[in-house]
Amino acid sequence: MNIVTKRGILALGASVAVALSLAACTTTTDGGTPSTSSGPVSGLANCAAWANSKVTGQADAQQAASTEKVELHFTWWGDDTRAQLTQNAIDAFEALYPNITIVGEPGVMDGYFDKLATRFAGGTSPDVMTLGGSYPLDYAANGSIINMCDAANNMDLAPFGENILANSKYKGGIYGVPTGGNTLTMLANPAVFQAAGVALPDDDTWTWEQFVTIAGQITAGTPDGTYGAEMNINSLMGSYVAQRGDSVYSDDGTTVTMPASDLTDYWNMELALQANSGMPTPEIHQETVGVSPELSLMGQGKSGMIASYDNQLQAYATAAGGDLKMLRLPGESEYAQAGATMNPSQYFAISSQSKHPVEAQIFVNWMVNSLTAGPILGTSRGMPINTDVRDAIQGTFTPLQQQQSDYMTRVLAHATGTYNPQPAGASIAQDLNKELDSKVLFKTETPDQAAQEWITRMQASLDQSQ
């Protein structure tokens, strides 16, 4: 085991080193926000599965488990490609553990967490689930998921850096394992650009103002129903704020520190896109924002640009039926710093309601640490964190996955911040963003009003979670 990896210092410097080493071998969400001030968390020395795991490097060997027939329910969100790859991995796991049946329950992002909350409330939660944002902390605080530090006989957390575990660390325990790392990109469809007679931008220098102009030109140069850009505040907000040298939350997670002006500026930009028709009408936007890649306008070949995490490149390209190009975000050289960095994409967590926690732990450990699972899952949930798994998938990269690797290297070469996890209480962010974004676009609130409302309501949620 690599000592640096085991110690887990995955702040930015280490992230850059990792990314550069992956350039030849190397993504939703669903992470926190870049920050200039957050650093590695501490206090994992007493985490048995991290500091002295008894199963280090044994994910591909059958671990001790009962031979009784066990059924585990596993739910996640994502597109059809992710669902098929996940099922392929499940099949391989069941071949190793013929007494364990994994019932896969794929879903879409929209409504995923509402359905999950309903199942927990009814005592019918899945055994294993994927979580994102602040949900690991929220679910840990209310006792809904188990502490994986106590699973040293079945779980190896040593390959995971402290900083990348930050968003699942609660009162000294670890309540989720990152499925991988990814970074934000502006996906562009060169065919749509060409049809509009618009050149692809220089993504080392372009600004948000130029982005608005280009989006309007694409809409004007293409048939009705095709738009320059699809906007999603849930994807863009963290990096947009970080570019200005700001953080959405304080390091201790108790306070909203983002200036209202950052949100006001973002929503004024959307109104500018609305004015030049660079983005869909509010009605179409409301119907398509946050949908799966195949249902998006980009997936239908009807938009020129969309912000997404890099692990969604294959899904969007498959849906669109053509090559897509990964661009750095607008504004990365315009403001105080670059806004994009590497984030944990999702987390696997285990329900405290599970009747088979040992088998659930073995399954999660296999999904993130197995050299068999790695090549099957590829980068569908982000670039694997375990360096041995990354090495194992080196020879399996498709051209799209190589593009992901090259893009992450570019991003981390410019990044100046580290991953700043969402605090407990911030799980309302996605719904709050969508609600207020709609109010601005339908002009029932001004950008200033929506920005102030966002800060007030989010701060109330943080206060309530303390």
Side-chain angles (χ1 to χ4, degrees), residues 163-340:
N163 196 53
I164 206 137
L165 289 171
N167 209 39
S168 62
K169 181 174 180 285
Y170 179 76
K171 293 186 176 179
I174 296 298
Y175 289 82
V177 183
T179 66
N182 58 19
T183 190
L184 193 62
T185 179
M186 186 66 72
L187 291 181
N189 188 331
V192 174
F193 272 78
Q194 184 176 9
V198 177
L200 287 166
D202 179 351
D203 65 344
D204 281 327
T205 61
W206 69 328
T207 66
W208 286 106
E209 184 178 3
Q210 290 171 330
F211 166 76
V212 171
T213 300
I214 290 170
Q217 291 171 342
I218 291 173
T219 303
T222 50
D224 289 347
T226 298
Y227 296 90
E230 290 176 87
M231 301 299 291
N232 188 342
I233 188 173
N234 281 326
S235 298
L236 285 168
M237 186 173 120
S239 294
Y240 189 86
V241 171
Q243 286 179 346
R244 289 148 178 80
D246 300 323
S247 295
V248 179
Y249 311 104
S250 60
D251 288 349
D252 62 7
T254 63
T255 308
V256 176
T257 56
M258 172 183 60
S261 59
D262 288 353
L263 267 180
T264 298
D265 288 348
Y266 176 85
W267 276 317
N268 277 325
M269 176 183 65
E270 284 199 339
L271 291 180
L273 284 166
Q274 189 179 67
N276 75 356
S277 300
M279 68 179 287
T281 64
E283 292 81 7
I284 295 175
H285 170 77
Q286 195 171 44
E287 292 174 0
T288 58
V289 64
V291 298
S292 59
E294 61 270 16
L295 297 178
S296 68
L297 296 177
M298 174 63 72
Q300 299 174 52
K302 295 180 179 180
S303 73
M305 297 175 286
I306 188 171
S308 176
Y309 284 94
D310 59 354
N311 61 321
Q312 291 292 289
L313 172 63
Q314 180 174 338
Y316 277 108
T318 299
D323 293 332
L324 302 181
K325 184 174 178 60
M326 302 175 74
L327 303 176
R328 292 179 67 205
L329 297 179
E332 291 288 78
S333 60
E334 182 181 3
Y335 294 102
Q337 61 183 29

Side-chain angles (χ1 to χ4, degrees), residues 59 64 86 144 157 175 183 197 212 258 339 343 406 441 462:
T86 303
S144 294
L157 296 180
Y175 289 82
T183 190
V212 171
M258 172 183 60
N343 301 326
D406 295 342
L441 291 175
L462 297 184

